[in-house]
Amino acid sequence: MAKSCLSAVPLVIFGVVEPALLVWAYITAQRDIASYYSAQAPHEPVAAGAAVPAQGLVLLHQLVNVYVLLAAVGVVCSWTPHAAVARRYLVAVALADYGHVWACYRGVGAELFWDPSRWNDMLWGGIGGSLVLNAFRWLTVLGAFGALRDPRAPAGAAAGKKKA
């Protein structure tokens, strides 16, 4: 059985739930790319039946392909016994979360961004979900759920240290 350096809560969040949500987003987008496109900025409705521009199609398909990549990387880096790998992954993705939220802000503008009562499910995921996951990432890195420990190391061994 795979052993992880993460404790149960972050392992379930980053090694199961987040990858599953990324795969779900990929499937949702592939099933109806025009609706997925339209939902990105709910305050700028796209006319029913309007075609997504070719550039938009290319970008959307590339984006959702990255979702599958991130799901796979999340599984690998969450289920690793190597604390340094998991820690670096969590820090890198935590920093990327800020770029993700910034992209939402730039796309929908300040008025909609600061008014969650007007958000659709896409914005709740892109802004709210990203910020919640970001908090869990930093809490995990800072040890709030327990130290990241190599499950193969003897009890009391320091996290991320190689055996002599």
Side-chain angles (χ1 to χ4, degrees):
M1 176 177 209
K3 297 199 179 209
S4 173
C5 62
L6 297 176
S7 61
V9 171
L11 180 60
V12 169
I13 292 170
F14 305 124
V16 179
V17 174
E18 186 176 27
L21 290 172
L22 288 163
V23 171
W24 172 81
Y26 171 84
I27 293 168
T28 299
Q30 294 295 356
R31 289 180 63 207
D32 187 356
I33 201 81
S35 291
Y36 194 80
Y37 174 78
S38 180
Q40 298 300 315
H43 68 300
E44 298 285 338
V46 176
V52 176
Q55 299 89 338
L57 284 172
V58 170
L59 289 172
L60 284 170
H61 285 291
Q62 289 174 342
L63 171 69
V64 299
N65 185 61
V66 171
Y67 290 170
V68 174
L69 171 66
L70 287 173
V73 170
V75 168
V76 170
C77 291
S78 295
W79 286 91
T80 182
H82 306 287
V85 170
R87 185 177 299 106
R88 289 175 184 139
Y89 163 76
L90 290 169
V91 168
V93 179
L95 295 173
D97 287 335
Y98 300 126
H100 188 88
V101 172
W102 174 249
C104 291
Y105 175 83
R106 293 284 299 168
V108 302
E111 184 180 335
L112 180 57
F113 182 86
W114 294 110
D115 187 0
S117 69
R118 295 176 46 209
W119 292 359
N120 64 2
D121 59 343
M122 191 68 68
L123 287 178
W124 274 106
I127 300 168
S130 292
L131 292 174
V132 168
L133 287 169
N134 184 269
F136 274 102
R137 289 185 224 291
W138 288 118
L139 288 170
T140 301
V141 168
L142 295 172
F145 301 104
L148 301 179
R149 297 189 193 280
D150 185 335
R152 302 167 306 166
K161 302 282 184 191
K162 291 184 179 178
K163 293 186 261 186

